[in-house]
Amino acid sequence: MRIIASNVRKGNIIEHEDGNLYVVLSAESFFPGKGTPTTQIDMRRLSDGNKTSVRYKTTEQVERAHVEDMNYSYLYADGDGFTFMNDDNYEQVIVSKDVLGTQAAYLQEGMKCILSLFNGVAVGIQLPARVTLEVIDTEPVTKGQTASSSYKPAKMDNGLRVMVPPHIGVGTRIVVLTEDNTYVERAKD
C-alpha cells in the first residue's frame, strides 16, 4: 500500500527502494518558508538492525508493508528473547531483543500488547500507553511540598529512572507513560 511520506508514523513498517523492510523510528516533517517541504525518516532495517536516515519530499509516495496487528499477552523473557502468546489461539511467538529495544523494560507478566507480524515474524510492538511501576529508590519525601513544580529522580522496580514530584517516596506505585518515560500520577490501586 502506497502512502505519502508525510503520513509515515513511528512504528510503521515500510518497504524501501532497496527491497528491504524497515521499521520507522521517527518521522519529522519540515516546512521551510521557501522551498519544498520535506519529511525526514529515521528507520532501522529489520534484517540486520542497521539504522539509516532518508529524506523525502512530503508528497512522495512510499510503500508501506502489509503487516498484521494482533493481540498478544507477554509471558516471559529468556536467552532467546521475549515470549508472547496469542490471546485467540494460544500460539506462542518469540520476539527478539532488537525488535523491542528500550521498550523491553516496561514489559510485565500478562501485559496485553499488539504485535505487528510480517510473514509470521514479529517486526514491531505497541505497548499500553501507561504502566504502573513501583519506586524502589529516591530522595526522602519533603514535608509540605505537595504543589511544587520541581521534580526529583526516582529509580523504578524495572530499573528505569523517572522524574517524580517531591511528595513521592520509596514504595509508592506510580503511573508512567511508556512513550516518553514521564510521570503521570500516583497509582489508584
Side-chain angles (χ1 to χ4, degrees), residues 135-140 150-156 160-166 168-170 174:
V135 177
I136 59 168
D137 185 35
T138 188
E139 297 167 12
S150 63
Y151 282 77
K152 63 183 182 180
K155 188 173 182 181
M156 311 282 58
L160 292 176
R161 294 204 171 275
V162 178
M163 297 301 286
V164 298
I168 300 292
V170 174
I174 63 170

Side-chain angles (χ1 to χ4, degrees), residues 1-8 13-17 56 59-66:
M1 177 171 76
R2 297 194 62 80
I3 58 172
I4 60 172
S6 62
N7 286 347
V8 173
I13 310 293
I14 60 173
E15 202 169 328
H16 198 258
E17 287 91 29
Y56 294 100
T59 56
E60 265 185 86
Q61 301 271 319
V62 293
E63 187 67 34
R64 185 171 172 194
H66 177 69

Side-chain angles (χ1 to χ4, degrees), residues 18 20-23 43-51:
D18 62 6
N20 289 314
L21 291 178
Y22 289 82
V23 63
M43 49 194 182
R44 186 181 75 240
R45 190 178 317 141
L46 293 173
S47 58
D48 59 9
N50 284 352
K51 291 183 180 175

Side-chain angles (χ1 to χ4, degrees), residues 52-117:
T52 185
S53 186
V54 181
R55 182 169 286 169
Y56 294 100
K57 291 180 183 170
T58 304
T59 56
E60 265 185 86
Q61 301 271 319
V62 293
E63 187 67 34
R64 185 171 172 194
H66 177 69
V67 293
E68 286 183 88
D69 289 339
M70 301 184 74
N71 292 322
Y72 279 80
S73 296
Y74 173 65
L75 295 178
Y76 60 89
D78 59 15
D80 299 332
F82 301 90
T83 304
F84 291 82
M85 180 181 69
N86 187 321
D87 295 335
D88 299 328
N89 61 12
Y90 306 110
E91 180 181 301
Q92 292 186 5
V93 173
I94 295 176
V95 180
S96 66
K97 291 174 175 65
D98 57 326
V99 170
L100 281 165
T102 57
Q103 295 179 313
Y106 295 109
L107 288 176
Q108 298 170 349
E109 196 173 306
M111 178 182 276
K112 304 287 185 201
C113 304
I114 298 174
L115 286 181
S116 300
L117 301 172

